Structures are given as structure tokens and as C-alpha cells.
């Protein structure tokens, strides 16, 4: 039997068995024939011997998915070639209604540091073919790692053109540090519009994810590389702080549970991250040989209320309050313990900028209290731990602020002679805040007031990182517009960190 005939035969069997599940009284007899693979495929969280494969069956994606209230078998295959001829692993998973018919397959038994291709098959349809890559052997010498960093994809603010360009890069892994969706309502004059008012129920979050995941550029970037993701605030709601008592009020807790469930359902997470009520285990480490330990951090779920309020304000004594935390006590202990088993590079992939951004305004300096600047005691603990472990090669990869920044992490940002601890690269948005501009007067004043800041840019795009044993290069890839499709991509700047000296330079 040829692959196509076999697949068709298999599809008919599944469709027939589904009809028997539904029974003769089924009110949606036409649904099983519609293509359920509207939201694409994805893979993520690579290990040396495996990876997570993801898809979701949704023939009517914007209206709850359009699937019957029954479990449906989904066949999956992993091949060593892009034509899916040399199948190396295959199996069957169950797409269940309580997970919006999403499928998370944790494939094992693969070889390290190599490309694989994968595909799903259900209800008489085959999915698109995705490509993924396993991690290198744990601890083994590794000379090179290529990453991309992305965040902040507000659908209403523009097209995801940057992802189309990212899909054409050569990358081992894509990191996403949040604002995968935005929860807000419909903005009338937007280039593209949201599909509902502000989302707060599970059904509404699911439809919002479906809207985003229908985007062909986003689907292309998922199909091209494995991803590892952590959410920021908008996956739940704006300026979400899960460690604030207000976030545990009954209505807020229900909303958090719905938000985490929908996030889990739409990204390639391992079962260890499956939400339990209003909690989701997100912090984890990906290791790439002896070269890099990538710690994905969660600065939203456990953060206490911002001690000095929200937004830009003068420094207030409460930001040095030790009880104020970004990561929570458990995650802090977990992270600092992991500093002991570092690779040559220790990567903190997380949401909000760590470096200080002092903004001179009317004779008084201001700081953004939603970022690590508003949690100075917590930042001090992080830096102390890095110093105690003598970490060379400390790199923070951040997002959230919708523009590009690069700078040196300093033990004391107010003292220019203070030791360099590492470097930070802040990724701009994929589309949030619209077209943007290379620079504005206000942003230039921040760069001038902060000698540790080496680069600023306010256009849309993503970061491309080429990591070697002694040097880390970050290319700021930008597109000139997102208000219409088809923008070209260019490298606005390249910055290099020398591991031994911790020096950051614009090349
Ligand atoms: Fe954002
Ligand atoms: Ca954000």
C-alpha cells in the first residue's frame, strides 16, 4: 500500500469509528470531513533523545474548535527525512475534549543533535509536516548553538512578518518569552482585529489562541524549529502579578486557571507543565551540551505586587524590601542551585528587562516599577548568586517592553566602575505597538543616562543569537513595518559578548 492510500484507508477507519462514537443522532455529520489541522503543528522542549510534538484538532477554530464531545485518536509519525519515508518513531495519541482536542506527544528514543520531521493524521486528514531538532548529548563538548528570541505578538497591531523571516533562518531552537496572545477586546482601526471582547473564560481564551495560531507566518516558524516558551502577563491579563493576593480572589483564580489551561493547550509543553487549577509549572532548564544551560524563568506567576506601584516613578524605599520577589522563594532557590552546574553560558530566558533603565524626567530620575528595576532587592539576590558561583557567560534574554535593548549587567548600575556580571539582550515585539521607529528622543535620553546600555532600537523583529565557546553574538533582526504584510528583514545591529572579559561591544 502506498503511504497515501494507507493514510486514506486509515482516515476512513477513524472517520467511521468517530461516527460510531457519535451515533446516528449526531447533529454535526459534516464536521469530521473538514480539515482539523487548521492551527498547524509545533514541537518543543528538546532533550537529547526526544522532543514534544503538538497539534490541535479544530475544524472550526474560531468557534470552540468544532469537534464532537468525544476523544479522537490521532496518529503521529517521526521521520529521518523530509519526505517522511524513513519513519523512526510512530504511535497514537488521544485528542480529548477536556484539552480542546490538543495533542502533546512526548517522543523519546531519538538521536541527539539531529533534524527530524513529523506529521499527524486524524479524521481522514494529514497535518502539515513539521521539522524539529533534538538537543546535543548532555554535557558533551559543543561548539555552536543558534537561537532566536521572540515575544509580544499583538494580532491587532500588525502582521507577523518577522516570523516568516525567522522560519528561513538556520536555528536550533526558538525561545518565546511571552505575550503570545493579548487578552484585550476589539480595536476598530487596527490592521487586523481581535475576534471578541476581552477574554476571561476558557472558551474565549481558546478562541483567541485559535485566531493567533491561524496566522501562516507564526505557523511557519513553529513548523521550522522546536520552541520553548514561557508566558508574560498578557496570556493572563495586563500587568498580571500572581503573587499578589488579589490574584487569588475567586474570580481572578478562575481566570488564571482558564488562561493557563488555554496556554498549555496551544504550545508544545511536557506533561510536567500541565496546569493544576490556577498554577502551571513553567520554570525549567534546557541544556545544550556543555555550551549552554538555558533557564526559562517565570517572573509573573509568583511575583508579589510591585512595591512602588506600576509604571514609571521615582525610586521608592519599598523597592529594596526583601519580601518583594519576581520569582518567588522556591523558584529562586531552584535557580541558584542550578548555577552550580552551569554550562559555558548561563542563559536566563525570562520576561522583563533586568538591567537598570534610569529615565531623567523634570530633575527626578524615574524607573519602571513593573520590571526588575521595581524589585531591586530581588535583583540583588540574583546578582549575588551569580557572583557567588563565579558565573562567566551570564546572558539574560528578555522581552516585554516592545523595543530592542542591549546592555551590561552591573553589580551596581549606579557605579560606572562596578564589575560587569554579564549581558542582557531585550527582544522587541513581533508586532506589538505597530510599525515603531528606529529611535525616539525619549528613548535616546534613557540610553544617554545609562552608560551600561549599549544599544537601543524601536522597530519590530526578533533576535538571532550565534553562540560559540568564547563569544556570543546577537543580531537584532528588524522589519521596517508590520501595518501591512511583506516587509523585508535586515540586521539593524550585531553585538558581541566576550565570555572571559564579559565585555559587550557593537560590531
Ligand atoms: Fe507585550
Ligand atoms: Ca508584557
Amino acid at each position: 500500500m502506498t503511504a497515501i492510500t494507507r493514510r486514506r484507508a486509515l482516515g476512513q477507519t477513524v472517520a467511521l469509528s468517530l461516527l460510531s462514537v457519535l451515533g446516528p443522532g449526531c447533529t454535526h455529520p459534516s464536521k469530521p470531513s473538514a480539515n482539523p489541522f487548521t492551527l498547524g503543528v509545533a514541537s518543543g522542549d528538546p532533550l537529547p533523545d526526544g522532543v514534544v510534538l503538538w497539534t490541535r484538532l479544530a475544524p472550526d477554530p474560531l468557534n470552540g474548535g468544532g469537534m464532537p464531545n468525544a476523544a479522537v485518536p490521532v496518529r503521529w509519525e517521526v521521520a529521518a527525512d523530509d519526505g517522511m519515508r524513513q519513519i523512526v518513531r510512530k504511535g497514537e495519541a488521544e485528542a480529548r475534549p477536556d484539552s480542546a482536542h490538543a495533542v502533546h506527544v512526548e517522543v523519546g528514543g531519538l538521536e541527539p543533535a539531529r533534524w527530524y520531521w513529523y506529521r499527524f493524521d486524524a479524521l481522514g486528514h494529514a497535518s502539515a509536516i513539521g521539522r524539529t531538532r533534538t538537543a546535543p548529548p548532555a554535557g558533551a563538548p559543543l561548539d555552536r548553538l543558534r537561537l532566536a528570541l521572540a515575544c509580544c505578538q499583538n494580532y491587532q497591531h500588525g502582521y507577523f512578518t518577522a516570523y516568516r523571516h525567522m522560519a528561513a533562518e538556520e536555528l536550533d531552537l526558538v525561545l518565546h518569552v511571552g505575550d503570545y496572545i493579548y487578552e484585550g477586546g476589539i480595536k476598530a482601526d487596527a490592521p487586523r482585529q481581535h475576534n471578541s471582547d476581552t477574554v476571561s473564560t476558557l472558551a474565549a481564551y481558546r478562541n483567541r489562541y485559535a485566531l493567533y495560531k491561524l496566522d501562516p507566518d507564526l505557523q511557519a516558524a513553529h513548523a521550522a524549529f522546536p520552541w520553548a516558551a514561557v508566558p508574560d502577563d498578557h496570556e493572563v491579563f495586563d500587568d498580571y502579578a500572581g503573587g499578589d493576593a488579589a490574584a487569588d480572589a475567586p474570580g481572578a483564580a478562575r481566570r488564571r486557571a482558564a488562561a493557563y489551561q488555554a496556554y498549555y493547550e496551544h504550545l508544545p509543553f511536557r506533561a510536567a507543565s500541565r496546569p493544576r487549577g490556577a498554577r502551571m509549572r513553567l520554570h525549567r532548564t534546557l541544556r545544550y551540551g556543555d555550551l549552554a544551560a538555558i533557564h526559562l524563568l517565570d517572573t509573573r506567576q509568583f511575583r508579589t505586587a510591585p512595591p512602588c506601584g506600576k509604571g514609571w516613578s521615582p525610586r521608592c524605599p519599598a523597592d529594596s524590601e526583601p519580601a518583594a520577589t519576581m520569582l518567588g522563594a522556591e523558584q529562586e532557590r531552584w535557580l541558584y542551585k542550578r548555577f552550580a552546574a552551569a554550562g559555558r553560558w548561563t542563559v536566563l530566558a525570562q520576561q522583563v528587562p533586568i538591567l537598570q533603565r534610569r529615565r531623567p524626567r523634570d530633575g527626578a530620575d524615574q524607573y519602571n516599577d513593573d520590571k526588575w528595576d521595581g524589585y531591586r532587592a530581588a535583583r540583588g539576590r540574583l546578582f549575588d548568586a551569580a557572583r557567588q558561583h563565579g558565573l562567566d557567560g551570564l546572558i539574560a534574554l528578555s522581552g516585554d517592553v516592545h523595543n530592542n535593548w542591549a546592555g551590561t549587567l552591573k553589580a551596581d548600575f549606579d557605579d560606572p566602575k562596578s564589575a560587569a556580571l554579564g549581558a542582557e539582550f531585550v527582544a522587541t515585539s513581533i508586532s506589538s505597538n505597530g510599525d515603531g521607529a528606529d529611535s525616539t528622543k525619549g528613548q535616546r535620553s534613557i540610553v544617554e543616562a545609562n552608560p551600561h546600555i549599549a544599544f537601543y532600537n524601536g522597530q519590530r523583529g526578533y533576535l538571532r543569537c550565534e553562540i560559540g565557546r568564547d563569544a556570543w553574538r546577537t543580531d537584532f533582526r528588524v522589519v521596517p513595518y508590520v501595518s501591512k504584510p511583506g516587509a523585508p528583514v535586515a540586521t539593524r545591529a550585531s553585538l558581541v559578548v566576550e565570555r572571559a572579559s564579559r565585555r559587550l561591544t557593537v560590531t
Side-chain angles (χ1 to χ4, degrees):
M1 223 187 259
T2 67
I4 289 170
T5 336
R6 185 193 55 73
R7 202 158 60 246
R8 197 170 291 142
L10 172 76
Q12 281 161 358
T13 313
V14 173
L16 285 172
S17 64
L18 179 69
L19 283 173
S20 65
V21 167
L22 296 172
C26 169
T27 53
H28 302 286
S30 63
K31 288 295 161 62
S33 64
N35 178 16
F37 295 107
T38 56
L39 304 179
V41 298
S43 69
D45 277 34
L47 292 171
D49 67 344
V51 68
V52 183
L53 307 181
W54 173 93
T55 194
R56 182 188 159 203
L57 307 183
D60 189 7
L62 298 178
N63 297 293
M67 289 292 290
N69 188 24
V72 172
V74 180
R75 288 176 49 87
W76 56 270
E77 294 175 319
V78 176
D81 65 303
D82 61 358
M84 301 297 296
R85 281 177 292 272
Q86 296 175 59
I87 304 295
V88 296
R89 282 282 179 278
K90 61 181 179 179
E92 193 175 282
E94 205 173 50
R96 298 169 51 88
D98 60 3
S99 294
H101 293 93
V103 175
H104 298 79
V105 179
E106 294 188 51
V107 181
L110 302 179
E111 290 169 26
R114 60 154 300 164
W115 292 105
Y116 288 98
W117 288 260
Y118 60 95
R119 177 171 61 191
F120 300 91
D121 193 316
L123 302 173
H125 293 268
S127 74
I129 295 172
R131 185 183 65 161
T132 192
R133 187 172 173 81
T134 48
L142 181 67
D143 291 332
R144 186 170 78 155
L145 171 63
R146 295 162 303 183
L147 303 175
L149 176 69
C151 67
C152 293
Q153 48 204 46
N154 191 316
Y155 186 90
Q156 295 196 131
H157 289 183
Y159 290 85
F160 296 171
T161 316
Y163 278 135
R164 177 65 53 179
H165 294 296
M166 184 193 286
E169 303 275 11
E170 291 182 28
L171 304 169
D172 298 293
L173 177 71
V174 174
L175 297 170
H176 193 284
V177 292
D179 291 359
Y180 192 94
I181 59 148
Y182 284 74
E183 82 286 9
I186 294 166
K187 185 166 164 272
D189 57 349
R192 306 196 289 178
Q193 287 179 357
H194 275 161
N195 51 345
S196 71
D197 291 338
T198 301
V199 298
S200 58
T201 64
L202 180 54
Y205 277 112
R206 283 171 172 166
N207 287 341
R208 181 58 55 85
Y209 276 94
L211 175 71
Y212 279 58
K213 298 217 66 126
L214 283 169
D215 184 276
D217 296 338
L218 178 60
Q219 287 195 11
H222 273 296
F225 314 107
W227 285 40
V230 279
D232 191 26
D233 53 339
H234 287 285
E235 285 87 348
V236 185
F237 51 79
D238 192 19
D239 288 342
Y240 164 58
D244 182 351
D248 285 325
R254 263 197 305 280
R255 187 178 187 185
R256 285 169 53 178
Y260 283 132
Q261 177 64 23
Y263 182 64
Y264 169 80
E265 287 168 358
H266 291 87
L267 282 153
F269 280 107
R270 292 187 182 276
S273 287
R274 180 186 279 275
R276 291 177 188 189
R279 293 281 171 209
M280 182 171 177
R281 169 80 182 207
L282 288 153
H283 56 282
R284 59 204 193 275
T285 301
L286 298 179
R287 293 188 188 278
Y288 275 76
D290 70 344
L291 191 60
I294 303 170
H295 305 297
L296 292 133
L297 304 181
D298 178 359
T299 64
R300 290 287 177 188
Q301 188 171 188
F302 308 105
R303 78 154 69 183
T304 47
C308 301
K310 292 173 186 171
W312 293 85
S313 69
R315 193 168 275 171
C316 85
D319 68 12
S320 297
E321 178 59 53
T325 172
M326 273 282 188
L327 300 173
E330 190 274 332
Q331 189 179 185
E332 280 195 36
R333 279 194 300 274
W334 170 89
L335 177 64
Y336 305 156
K337 208 182 287 173
R338 291 192 163 214
F339 281 172
R344 286 185 70 81
W345 299 94
T346 297
V347 183
L348 307 179
Q350 52 93 53
Q351 295 76 20
V352 294
I354 295 175
L355 55 72
Q356 179 166 292
R357 294 181 305 151
R358 181 167 68 85
R359 183 170 89 171
R361 194 53 65 94
D362 306 327
D365 291 336
Q366 296 183 341
Y367 301 86
N368 191 321
D369 299 319
D370 180 61
K371 321 307 171 198
W372 285 85
D373 270 345
Y375 296 75
R376 285 199 302 148
R379 183 168 63 193
R381 291 195 296 276
L382 173 68
F383 286 179
D384 285 349
R387 257 198 315 238
Q388 279 160 17
H389 287 94
L391 287 186
D392 286 322
L394 177 67
I395 302 284
L397 298 177
S398 320
D400 175 64
V401 292
H402 304 171
N403 25 61
N404 285 309
W405 300 83
T408 301
L409 298 174
K410 307 275 275 185
D412 178 358
F413 289 105
D414 294 326
D415 176 7
K417 294 192 294 293
S418 169
L421 299 176
E424 179 170 27
F425 298 105
V426 182
T428 186
S429 66
I430 291 292
S431 63
S432 304
N433 285 26
D435 290 343
D438 186 59
S439 181
T440 64
K441 195 165 155 239
Q443 303 294 3
R444 276 196 297 276
S445 75
I446 298 180
V447 175
E448 283 159 17
N450 295 271
H452 53 275
I453 292 179
F455 176 68
Y456 168 84
N457 163 271
Q459 291 172 299
R460 309 287 75 90
Y462 58 93
L463 308 191
R464 181 179 67 191
C465 305
E466 169 102 19
I467 302 143
R469 293 191 75 76
D470 301 312
W472 173 304
R473 192 188 79 231
T474 294
D475 300 323
F476 287 84
R477 304 280 279 161
V478 299
V479 293
Y481 53 85
V482 293
S483 50
K484 53 186 195 290
V489 71
T491 298
R492 172 63 184 79
S494 294
L495 286 92
V496 171
V497 185
E498 192 186 71
R499 183 176 177 274
S501 68
R502 302 176 184 180
R503 268 173 53 93
L504 173 69
T505 48
V506 182
T507 63

